[in-house]
Amino acid sequence: MYHQPVLKNRRTVLERAEKFISDVYFTDCNLRGRLYGYSCPLESLASFLCPKRITFTEASKQNFAPYKVGDTFGPTWWTCWFKITLSIPESWRGKEVHLLWESDGEAMVWRDGQPVQGLTKDGEKTSYVLSDCLRDEDPHRVMLYVEMACNGLFGAGQGSMIAAPDPNRRFSVQRAELVVFNRDVRELLTDFEMLVDIVKELGEGEQRSYQALFTVNEMVNLCDPSDPSSFSEARSLAHSFFSQRNGESQHTVHAMGHCHIDSAWLWPYEETIRKCGRSWVTVIRLMEKNPEFVFTCSQAQQFQWVKSWYPGLFSEIQKYVKKGQFIPVGGTWVEMDGNLPSGESMVRQFLEGQRFFDQEFGIHCKEFWLPDTFGYSAQLPQIMQGCGITNFLTQKLSWNLVNTFPVMKTVKNNKDKGRANHSAALFGFGDGGGGPTQLMLDRLHRIKDSDGLPKVLISSPDQLFSLLHADSALLCTWTGELFLELHNGTYTTQAQIKQGNRQCESLLHDVEMASCLALCQDRTFEYPTEKLKQLWRLLLLNQFHDVIPGSCIEMVVEDALRYYEDIRSDGAALLHNACGALGSKGNAAGVFNSLPWERNEVIQIEDENIYVVTLLTTTSYLMLWYLWQYTREVQIEDVVYNSCDINKLPSIAPFVGFREAMADSSQGNQFVMFDDVPLYWDAWDVMDYHLQTRKPVQEVVHPVRVVSSGGLRGSVSFSLRISEKSIITQEIVMDAMCPYIKFNTEVKWAESHKFLKVEFPVRVHSSNATYEIQFGHLQRPTHRNTSWDWARFEWCCFNDQHNFGVALLNDCKYGYSVHKNTMTLSLLRAPKAPDANADMGTHHFTYAIMPHSGSFQDASVIQCAYNLNFPLRLIQCSPDIVPWSAFSINTEAVILETIKQAEDSKGTLVLRLYESHGSSVTATLSTSLPVREAWHCDLLEKQDPTRPACITSEGVTLNFSPFQIVSLLLVL
């Protein structure tokens, strides 16, 4: 046999092999063209089109009309059901028979009333196996249904994937027939594909690459596509190549099947339910044929959907979970955003997720699974550990895509080569693509231990992390915040979603607290356990990492806002019921304060147009018993207040320490506009070059006028024109007893690719600014000395505190920056993809500026931020009610964040506290409730029998390290 000199003709030899297996070139004579043998048409094919997503039972009762392959249907987001009757020829006995189905959209095959297989052309799933080897006893006449979603794997973007959906897209079936599948051709094709990929991945400098090239060339020489008897000799050459083993030092890649499914993104929540069903039933079919196959799957919410919509499939999943093949991971309700949810919301993600996995599968997740998120809170490690999680998996920091085979990239990109000999590779088509394929598993089998390649092991997260823990002393570590240098526009996009999240977090906090106090006051009160779980799960769902960041289509935004309205409506009713139990309903005015410190606040009652000062102590409920007007005119100035002594009322302590807070020759509350055109990810990204396009908003529509003067409140208002279509109207409010100035803002917003911010150049210079995060705060630089600093021009924050000087607070914004002495709050963006109408409309929000003396800790800035976000709740009560306080803490450093009923005990309360100043402190928690026992517990409310809390006559004594989260079980 003539041997072409491989080394001198690498390109021609490689391309020869590629054309031999091409699905485009020379398919009339190459190996790919022999993949399918005989074919025959379907006996009948009919369709039914529906605008809604309906159950199989409903669909099967509809009238189906004849359908011809190639006919179009739609539009986008509709569902087309197909009814298929097929007859398999008797002459195909002993053959592998497939239904070959190539179409637009995503499909599910139903057989005998059950989902059996997902079909997704983009996921390389275009056939349903009717028989591996047709036998006489097998049914030769079969009826199937195919449920076709009129959307692609990544939605229906018009012109590009992330563009707003095309509502009028049409879909079609391009191929629907019975075929004989030539398994021997598929196996040989896999050998060829792997060898060609190895040649490409290893490159010209590797000896093993040339061996692979020589082998594949010899295989082409030996193989005659028209003569199956030639296949075995060619396969023998491939087997010899793959059978050459590695040494013991070779890197091991732990391969785990996966199908990352965004709970909503370029499609609505309802479509995700079907994506889960299509993908997971396909995974189950793979497990039936491959007992070694392991599949990892996160997000308890998706399991709950499948349980509700596909109960038969869920039972199969439970069976394979017990076998250790289908592995629930992550421990959270959804894969939430890592920056925007509050600390308590993050705890609830784990609480709901871990409890679901325990109840349905009897497992406890040990790893936090967050491959695709837009940031990582510095408090995540403590929250994870408090939920029994010791491992963490993500890939977004390096913007890696899910690896496909071969797996050389996994080794090349490993940053710990030499220190750790193990890494992970998640394989499978995500977002509804059905996850792994049989072809992927076949490829894995060939290279599991082949010389020159990493060893590949079908593994589980437990196996991988156990081996990594064994080498943990050798691994490099990162100290400090994990900052993603992309997608920081998501701190601002879709402002209404962020406002809904903040308001609903506050409302559910108050509902739980009021319900607990009502339970203590009235033992006949029914704590709304199930309703609260339902509302929390809705809130947690909206914290998914493409929803709360605003990087979703308009349909998802509409769903999210509707869920927030449901939470507001039902939550308000629950709060009313709880406060009614507390206050013995009457016609007097009352107030509920859910924060554990004194609050001296002015409340405006719109109907009566009066102001009310409330004098509250701790977490309490009491009537508004002090009504009066403060007659002195309130000046709108930047001032520093001393704390007011409530014993001196009704006279208010005079303002002291007058000090200009704004920088010389600068204007505070300066609105500025920027051009905002990122490179690609429109709703996600803000690029650094946008800072070069700053334009102050200066055109006055309505000049400053006094709205209120004298009494308890002073305020002025004005309007500015942003553009011909957009206007800002603002009321600046200064209340008696309040240490900050509020800016109640309305923006009518109709921009395109613009970014609105507000600036405060302050008379404070510091190399660092302090930013609040979940259960604590961080110091971040105010300079841009390095590339690391420059990349962090936009930070996520709940409220910003600048040490010694000025704090900038807000009630629903998250994007901040402090550069030199200028504090900037991001207000609104106007991206056009994937939601063409993102943020268009009218917005209402409040931010506040708080000058202060001393440190922000001493100035109670944290408490003021809470006050802004947790309003006093006005309610009706009995006129003879006695004010009372449930809890108080003897140090401002410790925040009582949460009071709720324990999940598994009606007579027990859960309290969550954290140290907020960054100090080590001993605190005393005092309570008027009849506490019998107090125990420390973890964040999942599991009691620590070795750690009873110390109860004294003064209360419960607690020790805190900096930013430590402490949870208590109080047995009443």
Side-chain angles (χ1 to χ4, degrees), residues 188-331:
L188 186 54
L189 278 172
T190 303
D191 290 334
F192 271 103
E193 290 165 352
M194 291 303 297
L195 286 165
V196 167
D197 283 347
I198 288 169
V199 173
K200 292 179 178 179
E201 285 295 325
L202 293 182
E204 296 189 46
E206 295 285 339
Q207 173 68 14
R208 191 65 167 155
S209 173
Y210 288 106
Q211 291 175 356
L213 184 62
F214 179 82
T215 300
V216 77
N217 190 63
E218 290 294 282
M219 289 170 64
V220 175
N221 291 333
L222 288 172
C223 181
D224 179 357
S226 64
D227 180 12
S229 65
S230 68
F231 293 177
S232 61
E233 193 171 359
R235 289 216 62 199
S236 179
L237 283 177
H239 178 74
S240 296
F241 177 89
F242 291 123
S243 296
Q244 297 178 53
R245 301 302 179 207
N246 272 301
E248 292 184 4
S249 64
Q250 188 59 274
H251 188 91
T252 298
V253 173
H254 293 254
M256 292 170 263
H258 192 54
C259 181
H260 171 75
I261 301 178
D262 288 311
S263 289
W265 178 29
L266 303 175
W267 54 87
Y269 285 124
E270 280 193 358
E271 191 56 42
T272 306
I273 298 173
R274 299 201 295 188
K275 284 176 176 284
C276 294
R278 288 189 290 260
S279 297
W280 296 358
V281 74
T282 304
V283 166
I284 294 296
R285 298 289 89 82
L286 274 180
M287 289 179 177
E288 292 172 347
K289 297 180 180 180
N290 302 271
E292 79 286 355
F293 171 48
V294 169
F295 180 76
T296 56
C297 192
S298 67
Q299 306 193 69
Q301 170 69 87
Q302 295 183 2
F303 284 94
Q304 177 64 57
W305 281 335
V306 169
K307 180 183 179 182
S308 299
W309 283 70
Y310 308 102
L313 171 59
F314 189 75
S315 295
E316 290 188 275
I317 290 171
Q318 287 178 311
K319 180 177 70 174
Y320 282 98
V321 169
K322 287 183 180 179
K323 289 184 176 181
Q325 288 183 259
F326 203 114
I327 304 178
V329 295

Side-chain angles (χ1 to χ4, degrees), residues 66-119:
Y67 175 84
K68 184 175 65 176
V69 170
D71 287 350
T72 63
F73 51 88
T76 307
W77 308 123
W78 284 45
T79 299
C80 192
W81 285 83
F82 294 90
K83 186 176 182 179
I84 302 169
T85 305
L86 50 88
S87 295
I88 304 174
E90 294 290 336
S91 59
W92 289 8
R93 188 182 298 109
K95 305 293 187 182
E96 183 172 342
V97 182
H98 290 196
L99 166 65
L100 189 60
W101 183 276
E102 295 182 4
S103 67
D104 306 319
E106 300 178 271
M108 171 83 89
V109 180
W110 292 79
R111 185 171 183 175
D112 300 327
Q114 295 297 320
V116 292
Q117 173 70 54
L119 295 172

Side-chain angles (χ1 to χ4, degrees), residues 499-703:
Q499 185 177 60
N501 176 75
R502 185 82 68 87
Q503 290 176 350
C504 289
E505 286 177 334
S506 171
L507 177 59
L508 293 184
H509 167 278
D510 288 3
V511 170
E512 288 181 331
M513 189 168 290
S515 298
C516 287
L517 301 185
L519 191 64
C520 296
Q521 287 284 83
D522 180 1
R523 287 307 177 100
T524 66
F525 176 79
E526 288 289 330
Y527 190 89
T529 303
E530 289 304 315
K531 191 62 179 178
L532 275 169
K533 176 186 290 187
Q534 175 190 342
L535 298 182
W536 263 112
R537 286 182 172 183
L538 276 182
L539 179 60
L540 299 178
L541 172 59
N542 276 353
Q543 290 173 350
F544 179 74
H545 64 250
D546 272 308
V547 180
I548 189 173
S551 50
C552 51
I553 62 173
E554 189 172 13
M555 292 177 71
V556 178
V557 176
E558 292 168 353
D559 284 344
L561 296 182
R562 187 174 68 253
Y563 290 165
Y564 290 134
E565 281 307 305
D566 291 344
I567 296 169
R568 290 186 183 105
S569 175
D570 292 348
L574 294 178
L575 186 60
H576 177 78
N577 291 341
C579 290
L582 274 171
S584 302
K585 297 178 182 178
N587 56 8
V591 66
F592 173 69
N593 171 28
S594 64
L595 299 176
W597 50 74
E598 296 176 358
R599 298 178 70 172
N600 309 314
E601 296 191 17
V602 175
I603 302 176
Q604 183 174 8
I605 302 178
E606 298 292 346
D607 294 342
E608 302 177 30
N609 196 29
I610 64 171
Y611 299 128
V612 177
V613 167
T614 63
L615 309 178
L616 307 183
T617 52
T618 55
T619 302
S620 59
Y621 169 89
L622 73 166
M623 56 187 287
L624 290 176
W625 54 270
Y626 204 93
L627 307 179
W628 56 285
Q629 293 290 324
Y630 177 45
T631 58
R632 177 179 172 184
E633 182 178 351
V634 179
Q635 303 294 321
I636 305 298
E637 296 185 62
D638 299 308
V639 298
V640 178
Y641 298 155
N642 275 345
S643 297
C644 294
D645 184 351
I646 63 173
N647 295 321
K648 293 182 179 179
L649 290 171
S651 65
I652 293 183
F655 300 150
V656 297
F658 280 82
R659 173 178 174 179
E660 180 59 58
M662 296 298 106
D664 293 339
S665 303
S666 297
Q667 293 181 346
N669 197 41
Q670 174 66 65
F671 293 101
V672 287
M673 287 281 282
F674 299 86
D675 294 339
D676 185 15
V677 184
L679 296 177
Y680 178 70
W681 296 99
D682 199 356
W684 292 258
D685 285 352
V686 172
M687 310 310 295
D688 56 0
Y689 52 72
H690 88 280
L691 297 171
Q692 303 171 40
T693 64
R694 178 183 179 276
K695 295 181 180 67
V697 177
Q698 296 178 324
E699 183 180 349
V700 177
V701 178
H702 298 294

Side-chain angles (χ1 to χ4, degrees), residues 347 350-351 354 364-365 382-389 939-940:
V347 171
F350 287 102
L351 180 67
Q354 292 283 40
H364 179 94
C365 297
Q382 185 181 184
I383 295 173
M384 288 161 50
Q385 289 181 344
C387 297
I389 288 179
L939 296 181
L940 301 182

